[in-house]
Amino acid sequence: STPLYSSAASDVYKRQTSMHMLNWMECVRSRKKTNGSIEAGYNHSIANIMTTAALRTGLKSTFDEVNQEVLVGGKVFKY
């Protein structure tokens, strides 16, 4: 079977994850700001959840900004 990541891609992913975690831990210790903002992380998470919702249901997903919920077929998406 074909691996999900090539060896080179897997190494890059592992290195980026390690750098991200190192930045996070350094900021926890020093109370400095992280490289990425909370807002950027939140918006990235919304996009990932919307993608997951669309793939699992086969329907278009939307984001209700007022209620901060991902919707599929007019209903709140739940895993």
Side-chain angles (χ1 to χ4, degrees):
S1 79
T2 305
L4 184 59
Y5 296 105
S6 71
S7 177
S10 179
D11 290 344
V12 169
Y13 176 77
K14 288 176 187 175
R15 188 170 49 253
Q16 288 175 342
T17 300
S18 295
M19 290 171 58
H20 171 76
M21 293 303 295
L22 178 61
N23 173 249
W24 171 255
M25 293 307 297
E26 287 174 349
C27 292
V28 167
R29 291 183 187 115
S30 67
R31 298 187 183 263
K32 292 180 182 177
K33 287 188 174 185
T34 56
N35 291 338
S37 69
I38 291 170
E39 292 81 13
Y42 181 72
N43 290 333
H44 182 79
S45 294
I46 291 168
N48 283 330
I49 294 166
M50 289 177 69
T51 300
T52 299
L55 288 171
R56 288 189 179 186
T57 65
L59 301 171
K60 178 182 174 181
S61 63
T62 57
F63 184 67
D64 179 343
E65 289 187 39
V66 173
N67 295 311
Q68 301 289 293
E69 296 173 327
V70 173
L71 306 173
V72 179
K75 297 179 182 177
V76 176
F77 175 71
K78 296 184 181 185
Y79 286 90

